[in-house]
Amino acid sequence: MAPAVGSRRGHLLWLTCMLCSAPARVAADSLVGNLVVTQNSSLPWPSSYLTRMGLKVSFLLHDPSDFFKSASFLYSWDFGDGTLMVTEDPVVYYNYSIIGTFTVKLNVVAEWEQARLDATKGIVQKTGDFSTSLKLQETLQGIQVLGPTLIQTFQKLTLTLNFLGSPPLTVCWRLKAECLPLEEGECQPVSVASMAYNLTHTFRDPGDYCFSIRAENVISKSHQYHRVQVWPSSLQPAVFAFPCATLITVMLAFIMYMTLRNATQQKDMVENPEPPSGVRCCCQMCCGPFLLETHSEYLEVVRENHGLLPPLYKSVKTYTV
């Protein structure tokens, strides 16, 4: 009975050892850990970082029992912008030069030697894939204004503002006589969620104006100015200049003509007053012989006025006895 009891105890002891080592075997089946990204800046948005500033990306392996203490690791990095990197160190430093949202991917391979049942040693390999999302932003470095600098009144002016920085932005603008910075509360802010913004305005009065523009995000702010010269609408198109000048010239000539004509008529009435047409006709018929110089002129006047009347003088018949 003793051997049986001993063998039974040995079997139970073997099962106990197997159960004790089970968590370590489960942990060894896959790598457990996470990626940690840090930067010497503080932004209020989650997972947001600045461009052109060094990022520290670290892989932290979860191994409380030191199961992988004798393992060697190989790290394959993919920063999402086309940059690949292979290191033996779990910590890398990287700079993003453009804004956007990127996903950092990491493949970790762990290798170590392990004794086999036949007393030989073999290479054991475990892998794990990890990733994290990053939102890269940049400071507002300036504002580019595109639009005309000369316009006429009652025309719609459109300016395009291109922001050299990361949205979201707060944009504020106002028209001034001089290009001066905007004070706090001087204009109504507008929220902009893109890299460009269209500003429209219609001028009613001519003059020189200056658009004072301010844009800012939580990182920084920037000012920009744009001068505009406004001309009256009636002076701008030259196509109306010639017709207007011609019309004014014709009107002046007509006025001068009418003035000279009235003056001439008044002078003629004072120097040579004429009776009405009826009186003149009657005078030509009745007083013609006295007013006309010759008899032929008198006959010509009578012929014109009474062409159908018989001649005033008849031929005298001569009889011979």
Side-chain angles (χ1 to χ4, degrees):
M1 296 294 296
V5 173
S7 61
R8 186 179 299 175
R9 287 179 178 176
H11 182 67
L12 291 175
L13 183 61
W14 179 80
L15 288 176
T16 303
C17 292
M18 289 293 295
L19 292 175
C20 291
S21 63
R25 290 177 179 272
V26 172
D29 288 341
S30 61
L31 298 176
V32 179
N34 61 330
L35 290 174
V36 177
V37 181
T38 58
Q39 190 180 54
N40 293 330
S41 64
S42 178
L43 298 182
W45 308 303
S47 302
S48 296
Y49 306 92
L50 288 177
T51 60
R52 301 178 180 87
M53 184 176 291
L55 284 174
K56 180 182 178 181
V57 186
S58 306
F59 174 70
L60 301 181
L61 179 66
H62 182 70
D63 186 22
S65 60
D66 291 333
F67 184 82
F68 299 98
K69 65 180 181 179
S70 62
S72 61
F73 293 86
L74 192 66
Y75 303 92
S76 299
W77 306 86
D78 183 356
F79 293 95
D81 61 349
T83 302
L84 303 177
M85 189 183 302
V86 178
T87 66
E88 295 180 355
D89 195 334
V91 179
V92 294
Y93 295 89
Y94 189 71
N95 249 338
Y96 283 92
S97 61
I98 57 176
I99 64 174
T101 301
F102 304 92
T103 300
V104 179
K105 298 179 182 180
L106 174 63
N107 176 260
V108 183
V109 178
E111 292 183 350
W112 70 95
E113 289 185 349
Q114 185 175 4
R116 299 175 181 175
L117 296 177
D118 57 357
T120 60
K121 292 183 177 182
I123 300 298
V124 180
Q125 186 181 86
K126 300 297 180 182
T127 63
D129 292 314
F130 310 90
S131 65
T132 186
S133 181
L134 306 178
K135 185 176 183 180
L136 273 299
Q137 309 217 18
E138 63 183 358
T139 59
L140 186 59
Q141 300 176 357
I143 308 171
Q144 183 185 29
V145 183
L146 301 178
T149 58
L150 181 63
I151 198 172
Q152 66 185 50
T153 54
F154 300 101
Q155 279 191 344
K156 185 177 181 181
L157 172 70
T158 300
L159 297 179
T160 301
L161 309 181
N162 294 322
F163 305 107
L164 307 178
S166 300
L169 299 166
T170 300
V171 181
C172 187
W173 66 273
R174 187 173 181 176
L175 276 176
K176 291 188 174 186
E178 298 180 359
C179 294
L180 297 175
L182 293 172
E183 302 293 337
E184 293 295 333
E186 194 173 0
C187 57
Q188 186 68 28
V190 178
S191 297
V192 179
S194 62
M195 299 288 291
Y197 177 74
N198 287 333
L199 186 156
T200 59
H201 184 74
T202 301
F203 292 93
R204 297 184 178 273
D205 299 318
D208 294 333
Y209 298 90
C210 181
F211 282 91
S212 183
I213 305 167
R214 182 183 68 213
E216 59 182 314
N217 56 15
V218 296
I219 307 172
S220 61
K221 67 174 60 177
S222 179
H223 294 269
Q224 186 58 274
Y225 309 98
H226 184 77
R227 290 185 176 274
V228 177
Q229 191 175 17
V230 183
W231 289 85
S233 300
S234 59
L235 299 180
Q236 183 69 11
V239 68
F240 295 103
F242 182 75
C244 291
T246 304
L247 179 61
I248 293 174
T249 303
V250 171
M251 292 180 63
L252 291 176
F254 178 74
I255 293 173
M256 293 177 64
Y257 168 75
M258 294 298 297
T259 302
L260 294 175
R261 180 181 178 185
N262 292 335
T264 304
Q265 289 180 353
Q266 291 177 1
K267 182 178 180 181
D268 292 342
M269 290 178 63
V270 173
E271 295 179 355
N272 299 316
E274 292 185 359
S277 60
V279 176
R280 186 175 61 180
C281 178
C282 179
C283 185
Q284 288 178 353
M285 293 177 59
C286 302
C287 307
F290 304 99
L291 298 177
L292 299 178
E293 295 180 357
T294 61
H295 181 69
S296 62
E297 292 180 357
Y298 169 73
L299 293 178
E300 184 67 24
V301 171
V302 173
R303 189 179 297 109
E304 290 179 357
N305 294 319
H306 302 282
L308 299 178
L309 293 176
L312 297 177
Y313 298 97
K314 294 183 180 180
S315 61
V316 179
K317 292 182 179 181
T318 303
Y319 296 93
T320 303
V321 180

